[in-house]
Amino acid sequence: MEIKHKIHKDDNVEIIAGKDKGKRGTIVRVFEKKGKCRVIVGGCNLVKKAIKRRSQQDAGGIAEVEAPLDISNVALVCKKCGKPVKVGYKLDGDKKTRVCRKCGEAL
């Protein structure tokens, strides 16, 4: 079963819930698993992770990495409005396009 979600890779989004609420970034990766969808936003939701030393040259230590967020905690940012908006769809013949629900601009 394929899940269709309204947010895709390289979209500009704003985090609307959690510790990084209000931050903006782009979607780096989208994960789908058992009906749950999570996204990684560039530069947001950073967590510290212990990295094991793999070789003599490899440093290892503690690194900051981006952790996944639930897709419900991010909202797409409209290019025209500049605000986080809900996504609507418009049919142009047989092609389906995403549109801003506030101004009607194509996303």
Side-chain angles (χ1 to χ4, degrees), residues 77-88:
V77 175
C78 178
K79 293 172 191 141
K80 187 177 176 186
C81 303
K83 297 177 185 175
V85 294
K86 288 187 176 182
V87 179

Side-chain angles (χ1 to χ4, degrees), residues 46-99:
L46 295 173
V47 294
K48 293 190 186 302
K49 183 176 179 182
I51 306 294
K52 189 172 183 179
R53 189 174 187 163
R54 297 280 177 209
S55 66
Q56 290 285 329
Q57 294 81 24
D58 190 22
I62 297 170
E64 280 196 335
V65 294
E66 297 149 345
L69 287 163
D70 196 86
I71 200 162
S72 64
N73 294 339
V74 296
L76 198 60
V77 175
C78 178
K79 293 172 191 141
K80 187 177 176 186
C81 303
K83 297 177 185 175
V85 294
K86 288 187 176 182
V87 179
Y89 288 101
K90 203 173 264 186
L91 291 172
D92 296 332
D94 59 342
K95 191 174 181 186
K96 194 176 183 182
T97 57
R98 297 183 300 165
V99 294

Side-chain angles (χ1 to χ4, degrees), residues 5-20:
H5 44 270
K6 297 175 180 181
I7 296 175
H8 308 298
K9 187 178 175 182
D10 296 327
D11 281 344
N12 287 323
V13 293
E14 182 173 319
I15 298 174
I16 56 173
K19 68 176 186 178
D20 289 331

